[in-house]
Amino acid sequence: MASSGYEFSSSQNELIGDLAKKMNFVATLLIAIGILGIFLGIVNIFNALSASEKTAIVLNNLIQGVFSVLVGTWTKNAAKAFTQIVTTAGTDIENLMIALGELRKLYTLQYWLAIIALVFSVIVLIIILITVIAVSF
């Protein structure tokens, strides 16, 4: 089959391939950590802790586990598309766009988490300021 699309050079393919390998390693680690977090959350449901401790620990483990699995999966999908750039011919731009789409999902999640954290921080700061002002009068 003849390739009609743009092809990256061998040095560009080497760079992209190295990136894909490193992303795949990190993605696999994140997925494993996420699965472990979910598992620990489920195990902690049956632990003999007080109700409030159990709820906090279980929610923490489950939420972190799910986020790690999501981030790991999107990173793995991006790594796969980057690998496709190196190992296929004629579809480099299409595979690059797939990889960028997966990275966009990842950074959209991080963007919204950062916005939520900033809003929460501002709310906490306002509450602290109000408390300090109220106590001083």
Side-chain angles (χ1 to χ4, degrees):
M1 176 187 343
S3 61
S4 59
Y6 177 82
E7 286 296 313
F8 289 105
S9 69
S10 60
S11 64
Q12 291 168 328
N13 276 336
E14 186 178 320
L15 174 74
I16 293 168
D18 185 53
L19 172 64
K21 286 178 189 174
K22 289 175 179 157
M23 287 177 70
N24 196 45
F25 173 80
V26 170
T28 302
L29 187 62
L30 284 169
I31 291 169
I33 289 169
I35 291 170
L36 179 62
I38 293 168
F39 175 75
L40 290 174
I42 293 168
V43 167
N44 283 324
I45 290 173
F46 303 105
N47 255 348
L49 301 173
S50 71
S52 62
E53 287 177 325
K54 185 184 290 188
T55 301
I57 290 172
V58 168
L59 283 176
N60 183 48
N61 289 134
L62 292 176
I63 290 170
Q64 285 186 3
V66 168
F67 279 125
S68 289
V69 168
L70 274 176
V71 170
T73 300
W74 290 333
T75 303
K76 189 171 267 305
N77 289 342
K80 180 180 176 186
F82 281 127
T83 300
Q84 293 282 329
I85 291 170
V86 176
T87 59
T88 62
T91 57
D92 282 1
I93 299 300
E94 180 181 332
N95 287 320
L96 178 61
M97 295 310 297
I98 292 168
L100 292 174
E102 293 299 320
L103 290 174
R104 182 178 184 206
K105 290 177 191 175
L106 170 64
Y107 282 98
T108 299
L109 173 67
Q110 291 181 357
Y111 170 84
W112 285 111
L113 290 175
I115 295 294
I116 291 167
L118 286 171
V119 168
F120 181 74
S121 297
V122 168
I123 291 170
V124 168
L125 182 61
I126 291 170
I127 291 170
I128 290 170
L129 288 173
I130 291 171
T131 304
V132 168
I133 292 170
V135 168
S136 64
F137 288 112

